[in-house]
Amino acid sequence: MNFHVMTLFPEMIRNGLEESITGRAMNKNIISLNTVNIRDFSQDKHLHVDDYPYGGGAGMVMQPGPIYRAFESIKAQTGKDKLRLVYLTPQGSVFNQNMAKDFAKEEDLVFLCGHYEGVDERILEMIVTDYVSIGDYVLTGGELPAMVMIDAISRMVPGVLSNDVSAEFESFSDNLLEYPQYTRPEEFMGNKVPDVLLSGHHANIDKWRREQSLLRTRKWRPDLLEKAELTKKDIEFLDKNPIS
Ligand code: 6GU
C-alpha cells in the first residue's frame, strides 16, 4: 500500500512513521510513504503558500494553486487519474477501526494536511473524497492526524503485523476492550499475577480473559458494550457481577 502525504512538514511525518512497526513495513516494501512538500509547488518568489482570508478575519488560508499542483504530481507519479484523498479536519467524520479496515483496501491513499486557519474551499471541492477527524478536540495541523491514520491503516495491511499478533483478535474488532496482560516476575512489589494465568488450564484462561474483557468494557466503555455481540453466558456473567 502506498501512502502519499501533502504537507508543509514532511519531516514530521517521516520521522514519526520511520520508527517501529511502520518503519519496518516500509523497509520490507509492504507499505511506502511518499511525502510531498506543498511549498515545493509554490510559484511565489518568497515560496508563500497562504494568504489573507477574503472577507477578513483571523489567520491565513492555504491557497489552492500549490495544493492543486502537488496533487497533479502525485497523479502523474501513480499514473492514476482518480485517487482517494483524505482531508484531515476537525469537521470530518470521526475515524474508527472500521474506517481503518476500509482504507487499507486501497493501493494508493493520499492525505492533505492543512495548517493555518484552513484551506481554500475550492480546491477541497475539486479533489477531496473523504473528510476525516481523529476526535473532538482541535490540533494545530493535519500532520498528527495523518500519522495516526497511517499507523492504524498500516497495521490492517497483510504482512505488517506478525501472524501471532494478527489484528483480527483485539480491541474493537468485536467491540470489547482487551483483557489485562501480565509477564514476569510472578510477584511485583507484593502484587501477584492472577492464579488462573499460571494454571496452564487453557479453557479457564480463555474464560477468565473473556470475563475481564466484559468487565472492563462495561466499566470504561459502556457505549461499546451496547454494540458487542454477547452470548447468553456473557450476559449471565455480567448480571452476576455488579459494577464495582
Ligand atoms: Cl483531522 N485536524 C485538526 N487540525 N484537528 C483535529 C483533527 C484534525 N482531528 C481532531 N482534531
Side-chain angles (χ1 to χ4, degrees), residues 87-90 114 132-142 145:
Y87 175 52
L88 288 317
T89 168
V132 183
S133 164
I134 61 163
D136 292 338
Y137 40 82
V138 182
L139 300 167
T140 57

